[in-house]
């Protein structure tokens, strides 16, 4: 019997990333632009998706709703005539590439357009897993406070675009714009930050314009 | 919860490498885990003990090499550990930039037994 040491150096995310890349390529070829939506519970992810879809009315939109166990958001989307499916993770705190890949059959993809994937409400692990997206959109509400970039740096570092929602609450919650933006810029030099209000729809036209430009 | 599928992946990577090398069993797996990887060593260990049963990895020691996250200041050309609620460089006070130091998460090596 002999013992020996073997060098491995293999990234544990490799398999996930390989599947994510395959999904991204497949949907990209069909003209479907994939947006991974990350944010804390209650930040306004579903309301933002609905507002964006209203602005994107010329485009076909698909939605995958990730949720730990409910389908409340999916029911709401379907009532609005949006093609949406639900994934329940049964306790898992994020979506991963194999889960998304196996859920794609549930959507028609009969036209080019955009696919919004609402990740599980959590600012930690959704930032660690690629799921097949072209871009990551981070939704952060003014009500959560201006210290979020300092507490969840990875989510801000990985974001391609940041939405600051519930901006009408800024004065009530002492939101410090300067502190927030300083943190965002230390982590991420390029992602645009859009201030929006899902109740009035304010700001979403600009976000939709940015998305369409990015989609190309 | 979040460590479960990741632990399966670790066992798969180690077992495949061990088979390539005609191993009878794996006695040690060394993981490199960055502070910012979001993974907790104790939690991986807990799942590992359960999932590794009846695999080449059963009974293997899981060794973790933890790596502290580092920021970089381009003005001072130094790496530093950031303070809570700040990204400032300790030398010049300007905000530096994040690096990949502390985001590592990989299987570094394994120790195997052969016949
Ligand atoms: Zn400096």
């Amino acid at each position: 019997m002999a013992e020996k040491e073997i060098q491995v150096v293999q990234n544990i995310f490799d398999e996930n990333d390989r599947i994510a890349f395959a999904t991204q390529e497949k949907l990209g070829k069909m003209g479907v632009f994939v947006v991974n939506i990350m944010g804390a519970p209650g930040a306004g992810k579903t309301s933002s998706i609905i507002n964006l879809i209203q602005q994107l009315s010329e485009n076909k939109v698909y939605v995958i709703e990730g949720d730990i166990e409910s389908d409340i958001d999916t029911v709401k989307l379907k009532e609005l005539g949006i093609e949406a499916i639900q994934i329940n993770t049964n306790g898992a705190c994020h979506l991963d590439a194999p889960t998304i890949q196996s859920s794609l059959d549930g959507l028609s993809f009969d036209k080019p357009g955009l696919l919004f994937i609402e990740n599980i409400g959590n600012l930690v692990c959704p930032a660690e897993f690629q799921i097949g997206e072209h871009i990551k959109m981070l939704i952060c509400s003014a009500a959560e406070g201006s210290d979020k970039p300092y507490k969840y740096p990875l989510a801000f570092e990985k974001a391609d675009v940041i939405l600051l929602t519930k901006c009408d609450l800024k004065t009530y919650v002492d939101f410090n714009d300067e502190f927030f933006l300083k943190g965002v810029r230390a982590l991420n030099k390029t992602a645009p930050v859009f201030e929006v209000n899902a109740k009035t729809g304010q700001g979403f036209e600009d976000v939709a314009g940015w998305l369409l430009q990015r989609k190309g | 919860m979040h460590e479960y599928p990741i632990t399966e992946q670790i066992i798969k990577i180690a077992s495949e490498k061990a088979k390539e090398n005609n191993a009878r069993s794996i006695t040690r797996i060394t993981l490199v885990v960055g502070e910012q990887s979001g993974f907790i060593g104790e939690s991986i260990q807990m799942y590992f003990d359960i999932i590794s049963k009846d695999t080449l990895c059963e009974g293997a020691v899981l060794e973790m090499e933890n790596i502290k996250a580092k920021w970089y200041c381009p003005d001072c050309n130094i790496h530093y550990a950031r303070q809570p609620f700040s990204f400032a460089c300790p030398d010049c006070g300007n905000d530096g930039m994040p690096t990949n130091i502390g985001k590592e998460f990989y299987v570094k090596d394994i120790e195997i037994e052969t016949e």
Side-chain angles (χ1 to χ4, degrees):
Chain A
M1 193 142 46
E3 287 211 335
K4 62 178 172 176
E5 189 178 279
I6 315 252
Q7 295 298 314
V8 184
V9 192
Q10 185 173 344
N11 192 325
I12 297 160
F13 290 118
D14 278 356
E15 186 162 303
N16 181 78
D17 291 353
R18 187 176 52 71
I19 296 170
F21 183 69
T23 298
Q24 189 211 65
E25 245 198 341
K26 179 181 153 186
L27 293 173
K29 276 187 190 144
M30 292 157 63
V32 175
F33 187 68
V34 186
V35 184
N36 178 0
I37 299 193
M38 312 185 296
K45 294 189 291 302
T46 312
S47 317
S48 295
I49 291 174
I50 291 171
N51 272 278
L52 278 172
I53 293 175
Q54 282 161 353
Q55 293 292 338
L56 291 163
S57 56
E58 315 269 290
N59 300 266
K60 174 86 194 238
V61 175
Y62 309 89
V63 179
I64 297 177
E65 271 291 323
D67 236 317
I68 293 181
E69 53 183 30
S70 78
D71 67 348
I72 297 168
D73 294 338
T74 308
V75 170
K76 201 186 320 177
L77 292 166
K78 283 185 175 160
E79 279 170 4
L80 294 168
I82 298 161
E83 186 175 338
I85 54 164
Q86 176 76 34
I87 299 179
N88 287 126
T89 59
N90 295 315
C93 43
H94 62 268
L95 296 172
D96 60 15
T99 308
I100 292 300
Q101 190 185 42
S102 59
S103 74
L104 293 177
D105 289 343
L107 292 166
S108 69
F109 295 119
D110 55 352
K111 282 186 195 158
L114 296 97
L115 167 63
F116 292 113
I117 304 178
E118 181 172 340
N119 219 313
I120 307 295
N122 161 356
L123 279 179
V124 188
C125 16
E128 290 154 14
F129 288 82
Q130 309 258 55
I131 55 177
E133 70 272 37
H134 292 100
I135 61 162
K136 288 181 166 70
M137 175 182 280
L138 177 64
I139 313 254
C140 180
S141 79
E144 291 165 72
S146 27
D147 58 2
K148 288 298 160 291
Y150 303 85
K151 288 184 158 176
Y152 302 98
L154 195 64
F156 286 86
E157 189 183 327
K158 295 267 179 90
D160 296 288
V161 54
I162 297 166
L163 268 58
L164 185 61
T165 56
K166 307 187 190 181
C167 281
D168 50 330
L169 299 179
K170 269 187 184 175
T171 48
Y172 302 102
V173 296
D174 290 331
F175 189 85
N176 184 332
D177 284 284
E178 203 187 329
F179 185 59
F180 178 76
L181 281 174
K182 182 171 155 64
V184 170
R185 283 299 162 243
L187 289 155
N188 192 322
K189 299 267 179 282
T190 53
V193 178
F194 290 99
E195 299 202 357
V196 297
N197 180 349
K199 263 191 195 160
T200 60
Q202 191 197 333
F204 284 100
E205 196 183 337
D206 293 343
V207 183
W210 183 87
L211 270 178
L212 290 178
Q213 199 174 25
R214 185 69 194 258
K215 175 181 184 290
Chain B
M1 192 63 202
H2 141 158
E3 274 79 7
Y4 184 91
I6 270 325
T7 309
E8 284 181 315
Q9 201 54 37
I10 292 166
I11 290 170
K12 190 173 159 200
I13 291 170
S15 300
E16 276 169 8
K17 201 74 184 179
K19 271 179 212 145
E20 276 170 30
N21 289 278
N22 304 314
R24 214 171 59 97
S25 69
I26 301 172
T27 50
R28 174 176 56 75
I29 301 172
T30 306
L31 299 180
V32 176
V33 185
E35 183 181 43
Q36 278 239 303
S37 73
F39 292 91
I40 315 273
E42 288 80 16
S43 184
I44 296 174
Q45 180 78 61
M46 181 186 86
Y47 287 121
F48 183 82
D49 294 341
I50 301 164
I51 314 173
S52 66
K53 286 235 157 58
D54 303 319
T55 73
L56 284 174
C57 298
E58 183 169 352
V61 174
L62 257 194
E63 249 178 36
M64 317 268 175
E65 286 182 13
N66 296 305
I67 297 182
K68 289 256 172 239
K70 286 275 162 58
W71 274 57
Y72 175 71
C73 174
D75 298 332
C76 308
N77 193 24
I78 57 161
H79 284 88
Y80 60 95
R82 75 176 183 95
Q83 297 299 310
F85 297 104
S86 163
F87 298 115
C89 163
D91 282 6
C92 68
N94 294 333
D95 284 347
M97 50 170 70
T99 70
N100 284 327
I101 304 170
K103 295 195 179 79
E104 303 80 357
F105 191 45
Y106 61 91
V107 180
K108 184 183 174 193
D109 54 42
I110 57 174
E111 191 178 75
I112 57 166
E113 266 182 3
T114 53
E115 301 287 352

